[in-house]
Amino acid sequence: MAEASSHGLGGLKYDPAKRTRAPEWNVFFALVGIVLVFELLNRLQGGSFLFNMRDNVDAIFNQQRLDIMILQVAIIGIIALGVTQVIIIGGIDLSSGSVVGVTAMVTMSFAQTAMVNGNPNPKAIFGEWAMDLPVIVPIVIGLACGLIAGLINGLLVAYTKIPPFIATLGVMVSARGAAKWWSNGQPVSFPTESYGQLANGDLLGSVTFGLLSWDGQNPAVIFVVLAILFHVIMTYTLYGKRCYAIGSNEAAARMSGINVDRHKVLVYVIAGLLAAVAAVLLTSKNLTAQAGMGVMYELDAIAMAVIGGVSLAGGRGSIIGTVLGAAIFSVIISGFTSVKLDAYYQEMVKGAIIVGAVVLDQWRQRRSARS
Amino acid sequence: MSDIVLETRGLTKRYGGVHALEDADFVLRKGEHVAVVGDNGAGKSTFVRQVTAVEQRTAGEIIFDGQPVHFAGPLDARQAGIETVFQTLALADDLDVPSNLFLGREIFKWKLGPFSWLDRKTMRDRTLEALKTTAVKIPNVDNPIRNMSGGQRQCVSIARTAAFASKLVIMDEPTAALGVQETAQVENIIRGLKDRGVPLILISHNLRQVFDLVDRIVVFRRGRIVANLRRDQTDGNDIVSYITGVKGGAENAA
C-alpha cells in the first residue's frame, strides 16, 4: 500500500500502513519493567520480591506476597472493571468505595449466623430474628444494594444533567452515611460458614500454578471471569460500541439514535453491581463488615483504570488495560512495602502515580491530535 | 403518485420575535439536485433544521414522499429516509469507519437487547462496498477516525449519508472546511448521487460548486425565499444580486 501514503490530504500526513500498536502493550511492558525494578531493589537489600530466591523451597514465586497482591488486585479490580466503563462513556464514579461500605454492612447483616459457639450471636443486627439464611439471600440483597446505588448515580447523571463528578460525590457521602447509620457505626460480624466460603473457598479446587499452591482463590477467579466477560461485552456487543460512541461524541451518538440517557443509567448500574460484588467478597474474606470498608477504593479503582490507559476524556481505554493497570498498581504498592518504604510515603507516591498517569494521558492525547 | 419528493408550504420558524424563516414554499422533485444559497443568517440552515426536525416548526406544512409529516426528531426523519450531513460532524472519533457508518443501525449476529452481538465482518464488508460506490478512498477503515484528516472524516460522514440514502439527502456546507482535493472528492460523491437518482438539497456558499453540481438554485434572503431559478437560466451575477438584495421580487422557475 505504498501509494496510499499519498493521501496526505489537506497537508496532513497520514500513513495507513502504520497501524499503531495497541496501547495495552505499553502498559504491559511498563508492568514487566516495574516488576523487574522492584525485584532488583529487593535483591540489592538481600531479599526477594515476586520470585523466590531460596534454593531449599520448591517454589518459583514468593507465595505470601503474591497472595496479598492477587487479593488486592481482585477486589479493587472488580470495582475498576465498572469504573472503566463509566470513564469510557465520559463519566466518573466517586461513589464506589462508599457503595462497598454500605453494601458490606447490609449484606453482612443478612449473612449473620444465629448461633456462635452455642450462644446467640452477640452481634446479631436483627436480634432474636437472627437465622442462618441460605447464602444466596445476602448475595442477592448485596447486589440489590449495588443496583440501587448505581441506579441513583445513573438517574442523577442522565436526567438531571449535573456533572457525574458532583452526582457521584453526593452518593459517595450519603452512602457512607448510610453505612454508618445501618448499625450505629458498630461492626457486623459472624457470618454463616457458607458465606465465609465465598471468598475463602476455592472454585478451582486445589491449584498449583508455577509450583505455587493457591488457596482462597475465589476473589481472583471471580475477577478473571468478570474481566473476561466485560472484555467480551465491551469489544463484541452493542453495549460496548455504544459506550465508546457516547464517550467519543455524545452529540453524535444522540443523533445516531442511541438512547444515551438510558445507556448511561445501565452503565452506572453495572458499576454499582460490580462494587457490590467486591463488597460481598471483601466481607466474606474478612468475616466482618465495618462502616469504614472501602474508603478510598474509588480512587484506587480510578487509578487502576487510568494507569491502564483509560482516558478520562472518555471514548478510549479497555478492560484489558484496566486489568494490567490494576496489576501495576498492586505491584507498586507491594513493591514499596517490600523495600520497606514507609506507609506515609506510599500514599504520597500513590497520589503522584495517579497524577502522573493522567498527565501521560493528556500528553498522549495531544500527540495523537497532532499526528 | 406525483414526482414530488419534498414539498414545504408556508414553512415558518420564529425564535421569539426573530423571524428566521417566513412562509417558505419549496418543492423538490425525484432525482433533482437543488442548491440552497443565501447570506449568513438568511435562513438556509433554519430551513434544513425544520425539514430534518432538529427543530420544530412554528407553522407550515411539510409533505415528504406524498405524505404530510410531523417528525418528532432527526431520528424520525432519518427513519423516513432523509439522510443529513450536518455542519458539525456527527462522528465518533474513537470508533473506526465501519462503526461510524453503522452507528445507531448496527447489524447483529444475534440480538439480546443492549448485549446484542455485533456482526463486525458484515458491517466491515458493507463499509468497503459503500466506500467503493461513493468513490471515497480511506486507506485503513479499521483505524479510529481520530487519526484521519478533516477531509477524510468528512468523506466518511458523507459516505455514511450516501450509503444509506434512500429518498433524500441533505448536505449543509459539506465542503466548508475542506481543501481543494477533498472538495473535489465530495463533489464526486454528489455526482454519484445524481447518477443514482438520489435527490439532494445542498446548502453551499460556493457558487462555483453550486453551478457545477445542481439543477436548480433557491435563494434565501432574510428568512424568505426570494428566487427559485433553473441553473441554465441564470448566472453567478444574477444569483449574487438576489443574495445581496439588489434584485428582489420572487421569480419562480418551477
Side-chain angles (χ1 to χ4, degrees), chain B:
Chain B
M1 185 88 195
S2 76
D3 66 342
I4 292 174
V5 176
L6 176 79
E7 183 175 1
T8 70
R9 289 181 197 150
L11 192 62
T12 299
K13 177 68 183 178
R14 301 192 188 99
Y15 304 99
V18 181
H19 297 210
L21 187 66
E22 268 306 308
D23 214 15
D25 295 332
F26 178 91
V27 170
L28 182 73
R29 296 198 167 77
K30 276 206 177 124
E32 198 179 23
H33 280 197
V34 171
V36 169
V37 299
D39 213 347
N40 289 329
K44 310 182 298 279
S45 290
T46 309
F47 174 72
V48 168
R49 283 200 297 271
Q50 312 314 309
V51 173
T52 54
V54 171
E55 293 170 356
Q56 292 300 326
R57 57 189 186 258
T58 310
E61 252 188 296
I62 297 174
I63 297 135
F64 178 64
D65 209 18
Q67 301 287 329
V69 287
H70 294 273
F71 300 128
L75 232 91
D76 267 13
R78 199 179 77 179
Q79 265 155 17
I82 301 178
E83 286 287 333
T84 313
V85 179
F86 290 100
Q87 254 170 331
T88 47
L89 284 177
L91 295 174
D93 277 351
D94 298 303
L95 299 183
D96 57 16
V97 178
S99 302
N100 266 296
L101 241 70
F102 285 91
L103 194 60
R105 50 189 148 206
E106 290 84 357
I107 300 170
F108 303 109
K109 276 218 174 82
W110 38 266
K111 298 207 73 166
L112 188 72
F115 301 105
S116 301
W117 201 267
L118 298 167
D119 188 348
R120 300 204 293 185
K121 189 175 177 307
T122 304
M123 288 195 277
R124 191 178 185 280
D125 290 347
R126 290 213 196 157
T127 298
L128 294 176
E129 216 174 285
L131 293 179
K132 219 166 129 192
T133 48
T134 51
V136 171
K137 290 195 189 77
I138 301 289
N140 188 343
V141 297
D142 301 321
N143 274 350
I145 61 165
R146 174 182 299 283
N147 300 328
M148 295 177 186
S149 74
Q152 286 172 327
R153 284 144 56 110
Q154 183 67 295
C155 284
V156 170
S157 183
I158 290 171
R160 170 168 69 178
T161 307
F164 291 99
S166 44
K167 292 175 179 163
L168 170 61
V169 173
I170 300 176
M171 296 189 189
D172 191 354
E173 300 278 8
T175 59
L178 302 189
V180 177
Q181 279 185 43
E182 294 158 332
T183 301
Q185 208 177 357
V186 169
E187 288 171 358
N188 274 333
I189 298 175
I190 293 173
R191 288 193 190 94
L193 287 175
K194 180 78 189 165
D195 294 341
R196 283 162 52 200
V198 178
L200 168 84
I201 298 174
L202 172 73
I203 297 184
S204 181
H205 269 110
N206 183 338
L207 287 185
R208 192 272 311 156
Q209 181 176 65
V210 164
F211 275 93
D212 271 3
L213 293 173
V214 304
D215 309 309
R216 197 150 55 82
I217 300 164
V218 170
V219 184
F220 276 70
R221 179 171 162 74
R222 291 185 176 169
R224 287 176 180 280
I225 294 178
V226 292
N228 178 2
L229 305 156
R230 293 190 53 81
R231 182 191 60 183
D232 43 22
Q233 291 168 0
T234 180
D235 58 35
N237 285 334
D238 198 30
I239 296 293
V240 170
S241 309
Y242 283 112
I243 291 174
T244 54
V246 173
K247 282 191 181 179
E251 292 175 29
N252 276 309

Side-chain angles (χ1 to χ4, degrees), chain A residues 335-346:
Chain A
F336 283 139
T337 312
S338 74
V339 296
K340 300 180 183 62
L341 188 72
D342 197 278
Y344 303 125
Y345 292 124
Q346 283 186 29

Side-chain angles (χ1 to χ4, degrees), chain A residues 118-193:
Chain A
N119 300 309
N121 187 342
K123 300 276 189 190
I125 285 289
F126 299 116
E128 56 201 53
W129 292 88
M131 61 176 93
D132 289 11
L133 292 163
V135 71
I136 189 73
V137 175
I139 293 177
V140 168
I141 288 173
L143 292 177
C145 282
L147 186 141
I148 291 167
L151 200 59
I152 295 172
N153 279 329
L155 292 174
L156 283 175
V157 169
Y159 294 104
T160 68
K161 311 286 177 202
I162 56 176
F165 175 83
I166 301 298
T168 59
L169 184 75
V171 173
M172 167 189 175
V173 176
S174 298
R176 184 64 66 194
K180 290 173 184 161
W181 160 82
W182 181 258
S183 62
N184 293 318
Q186 295 301 307
V188 185
S189 311
F190 303 116
T192 58
E193 198 180 322

